[in-house]
């Protein structure tokens, strides 16, 4: 049976973030890249704080609607938090896990306060302010200097998100639990990916996840920071394809 790949975007993006993967991988497998609740074209009702478990339930419903019983679940950053929540909730729906530019720790008090500030900034000043604050941290210096189209695409993607979606996801991320005990018990294949220049989730963060996962390896994408799949799609797609060949 054809393999399926579910791609879960980071914060504050939308399903179209994965365009380079949808284009590069859809001849090899079936690709589903949903808008997480509130983002992109999604207009579902938003609570004050949307937990990673609620987002995972939405993704399971998206898989049902697409007729996917199981898939490789790949999440980047916030998408990685959702991927881990989904795998913890419904392991039978997951063939393998791909955790990109993400982490298994929970937020500390300072981190939770920063989430609340992001939520309030988005609601009071709009998504452009969030885009300007985040952009330098998301992309490598090389990407910022040499890929103006990508910089523009990422900035406008953040700037068109609903302030309420940014606020509810930010508050939801603050509520997420630590996931190392889950990772230690995850026996199915797993791939950890990060960008060589990711300052938001530095390399030791990914090494710790790789070490916790009993059946995993780590790929570091060159010429990329936090948005590794967008900054170096050729290397990212190859890593995914090589990984997906190792299991059915
Ligand atoms: C993301 O890219 O999804 C965010 O940086 C995740 C986070 O803020 O923890």
């Amino acid at each position: 049976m054809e393999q399926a790949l579910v791609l879960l975007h980071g914060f504050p993006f939308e399903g179209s973030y994965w365009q380079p993967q949808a284009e590069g991988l859809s001849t090899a497998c079936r690709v589903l890249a949903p808008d997480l609740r509130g983002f992109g074209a999604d207009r579902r009702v938003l609570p004050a704080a949307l937990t990673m478990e609620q987002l995972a339930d939405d993704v399971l419903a998206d898989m049902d609607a697409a007729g996917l019983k199981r898939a490789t679940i790949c999440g980047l950053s916030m998408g990685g938090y959702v991927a881990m929540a989904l795998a913890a909730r419904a392991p039978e729906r997951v063939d393998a896990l791909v955790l990109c530019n993400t982490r298994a720790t929970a937020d500390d008090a300072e981190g939770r306060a920063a989430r609340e500030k992001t939520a309030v900034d988005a609601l009071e000043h709009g998504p452009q302010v969030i885009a300007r604050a985040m952009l330098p941290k998301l992309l490598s210096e090389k990407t910022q200097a040499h890929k103006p189209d990508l910089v523009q695409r990422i900035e406008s993607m953040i700037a068109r998100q609903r302030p309420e979606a940014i606020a509810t996801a930010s508050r939801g991320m603050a509520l997420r639990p630590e996931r190392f005990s889950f990772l230690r018990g995850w026996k199915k294949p797993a791939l950890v990916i990060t960008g060589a220049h990711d300052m938001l989730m530095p390399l030791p963060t990914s090494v710790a996840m790789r070490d916790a996962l009993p059946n995993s390896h780590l790929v570091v994408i060159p010429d990329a920071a936090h948005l590794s799949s967008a900054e170096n799609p050729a290397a990212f797609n190859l890593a995914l394809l090589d990984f997906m060949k190792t299991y059915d």
Side-chain angles (χ1 to χ4, degrees), residues 29-220:
C29 57
R30 187 156 169 220
V31 177
L32 183 70
D35 291 328
L36 296 179
R37 188 187 291 226
F39 294 101
D42 186 90
R43 289 291 175 270
R44 276 172 283 192
V45 174
L46 298 174
L50 195 51
T51 64
M52 301 302 103
E53 285 73 18
Q54 286 168 310
L55 289 172
D57 285 344
D58 287 346
V59 175
L60 287 166
D62 292 336
M63 288 173 66
D64 290 341
L68 294 181
K69 286 201 172 63
R70 298 181 352 243
T72 294
I73 307 293
C74 169
L76 187 136
S77 205
M78 179 180 78
Y81 309 153
V82 178
M84 288 184 271
L86 188 156
R89 225 166 172 74
E92 72 286 357
R93 307 289 301 269
V94 183
D95 290 327
L97 263 181
V98 185
L99 301 173
C100 318
N101 304 84
T102 192
R103 60 184 153 204
T105 47
D107 286 351
D108 58 14
E110 195 185 332
R112 287 194 297 276
R115 301 280 187 207
E116 184 56 25
K117 181 174 179 334
T118 300
V120 171
D121 281 350
L123 293 171
E124 288 184 356
H125 306 295
Q128 289 86 354
V129 170
I130 305 296
R132 275 197 295 277
M134 287 188 77
L135 211 56
K137 300 181 211 155
L138 296 175
L139 301 169
S140 72
E141 283 178 18
K142 195 166 168 184
T143 301
Q144 293 182 58
H146 299 294
K147 296 193 172 172
D149 292 353
L150 177 58
V151 175
Q152 176 56 41
R153 179 173 166 254
I154 294 299
E155 184 168 5
S156 54
M157 202 181 296
I158 299 175
R160 67 174 175 259
Q161 303 307 322
R162 291 158 64 191
E164 297 77 12
I166 295 176
T168 189
S170 192
R171 288 172 171 149
M173 285 192 286
L175 300 174
R176 74 186 194 285
E178 176 274 328
R179 291 284 183 196
F180 280 110
S181 41
F182 159 73
L183 294 182
R184 281 191 284 272
W186 182 258
K187 304 283 180 348
K188 291 185 195 177
L191 173 64
V192 179
I193 296 182
T194 193
H197 308 286
D198 191 344
M199 295 300 154
L200 289 175
M201 311 277 176
L203 187 59
T205 307
S206 294
V207 170
M209 287 193 296
R210 191 269 320 270
D211 290 350
L213 283 156
N215 182 12
S216 72
H217 68 282
L218 167 66
V219 172
V220 180

